[in-house]
Every structure is written in C-alpha cells, then in structure tokens.
Amino acid sequence: DLLDRISENDGRVVVVHQSNSGRSVARNVGIARASGEFVCFLDADDLFHRKRLDRLVRLAEDHPECPFVVDDQIGFVLTDGAIALRHRYNPRSHVAMGVTHVVNRRRWFLDQDCAMRPFVRREYLDEIGASFPDALDAGEDLSFGLQLAFGTDQPIVRFGEVGYFYREGESSRAVQESAREAVIVHAFG
C-alpha cells in the first residue's frame, strides 16, 4: 500500500503485484519492466552505500565500452540491533582496495566472485538475454553474474570502494557452495 501511494506521486516508481514465485522470477520481471539505461538490484535485506548509484553511473559514463561495472561489497550481520561488519569481498582478481581497474575474468571466476552486484547496461542484457534461473533456490545471482562476465570480451571495470552491504546469514555460504555445480550448468549450458 505504501509503495502504491508513492507510485501515484512519482512516475519513476513502478510497483509490480504478483504472487511470490521466488527471487529469480521477481528479478526477471524487474528486468522485463525496467525502462532505464541501467539495471541493478538490491535485495530486501541488503543495503547500498548512499553514494553507490552516483559512483556507478559516473564509472559507467567514464567507461562506455564496458557492458557493466561493479564495486566492492562487504558482509554484515545484525546483532542486538547493531550492525557488525564482516569480511570484505576483495579476492585476488582485484588489484587493490580503493583502486579502479579492469577485472581479470579468469581469477574472478576461480575466486567465485562473479556473484558481484553488477550495474548493467540495459542494452547488454537485451543483447545476451541474461536471466536469473528459475530452477535454482540458491546461486541465482552467481549464475547471472557468470552470464554477464562471459557474455562479452569487453572489459569489466571495478570501482574499488565498498558500495554494497550484503547481509550474511548462517547458511549463506553453505547454500552457495552446494548450488555451484547447478549454477555453472545453467550459466554455461
């Protein structure tokens, strides 16, 4: 109801009413309904840095050859109402924290970092037909990231600052590991 009221006064807000069919279906519907130049996602339990979208728009504009750009993410948990930061997702494919650079795809894949939170050009999504797999209960974001990363030979540029705050749960890593084979099959056929 709140979102419906907001959308009545702000044409940029589009509310989609549908039955709960899972994350992948919701994200794919979002992609289909998106009308902007860029697409990005924010899970309901995660957070954006207040400057994230501004930074990513500038990065994408500075690198028009890139079909998508990424930034760093950091895990967090809520403990007794307080936010506790966890580890920073900064694998060896990244040159250094705080440095904007082109990503090494091979290391990125080996480090299982393709589950990044991409800021994607809409035309690139349409060109390669990337989607979130309905059949996966976990790892759907990794599959989507793999499709994006290996759907082009164009460079992927990473902004070396944290922009995405990923809420970690007890089973987050275990579920992702168990889904890895199914993810690879979906992403690469």
Side-chain angles (χ1 to χ4, degrees):
D1 290 342
L2 174 62
L3 291 175
D4 285 334
R5 288 195 306 270
I6 291 171
S7 71
E8 290 172 8
N9 297 317
D10 189 339
R12 299 172 302 171
V13 177
V14 177
V15 181
V16 177
H17 294 274
Q18 66 183 39
S19 61
N20 185 354
S21 301
R23 292 181 298 254
S24 291
V25 170
R27 291 173 180 164
N28 289 332
V29 168
I31 290 170
R33 298 285 302 267
S35 60
E37 181 181 353
F38 300 102
V39 175
C40 73
F41 299 91
L42 173 62
D43 290 351
D45 58 345
D46 295 344
L47 304 168
F48 276 2
H49 185 283
R50 71 182 68 155
K51 294 182 180 178
R52 181 174 196 251
L53 293 177
D54 288 335
R55 289 173 177 170
L56 292 175
V57 167
R58 279 197 308 273
L59 185 64
E61 288 173 346
D62 290 345
H63 296 278
E65 74 283 7
C66 297
F68 66 98
V69 295
V70 298
D71 55 6
D72 279 0
Q73 65 181 14
I74 192 168
F76 76 93
V77 293
L78 289 176
T79 307
D80 298 325
I83 293 177
L85 295 179
R86 297 303 246 328
H87 72 284
R88 185 169 179 169
Y89 294 77
N90 191 39
R92 63 196 169 113
S93 64
H94 298 163
V95 174
M97 293 186 288
V99 177
T100 297
H101 65 277
V102 174
V103 172
N104 177 316
R105 279 183 179 80
R106 181 178 182 280
R107 288 183 183 161
W108 203 25
F109 174 72
L110 293 174
D111 287 339
Q112 303 177 31
D113 191 45
C114 286
M116 74 322 186
R117 308 299 184 219
F119 186 76
V120 189
R121 294 182 192 281
R122 173 58 197 245
E123 66 185 7
Y124 178 59
L125 287 175
D126 293 342
E127 176 187 320
I128 67 168
S131 66
F132 290 91
D134 297 347
L136 296 179
D137 292 330
E140 71 287 338
D141 51 350
L142 175 58
S143 176
F144 185 71
L146 291 170
Q147 293 170 65
L148 296 180
F150 292 97
T152 182
D153 290 332
Q154 295 298 317
I156 302 163
V157 174
R158 170 187 161 261
F159 182 75
E161 299 288 337
V162 170
Y164 196 96
F165 295 85
Y166 172 71
R167 185 172 183 173
E168 296 179 343
E170 289 293 320
S171 63
S172 296
R173 284 289 174 210
V175 170
Q176 288 175 0
E177 284 302 317
S178 67
R180 186 158 170 76
E181 183 177 339
V183 165
I184 291 170
V185 167
H186 178 270
F188 296 117

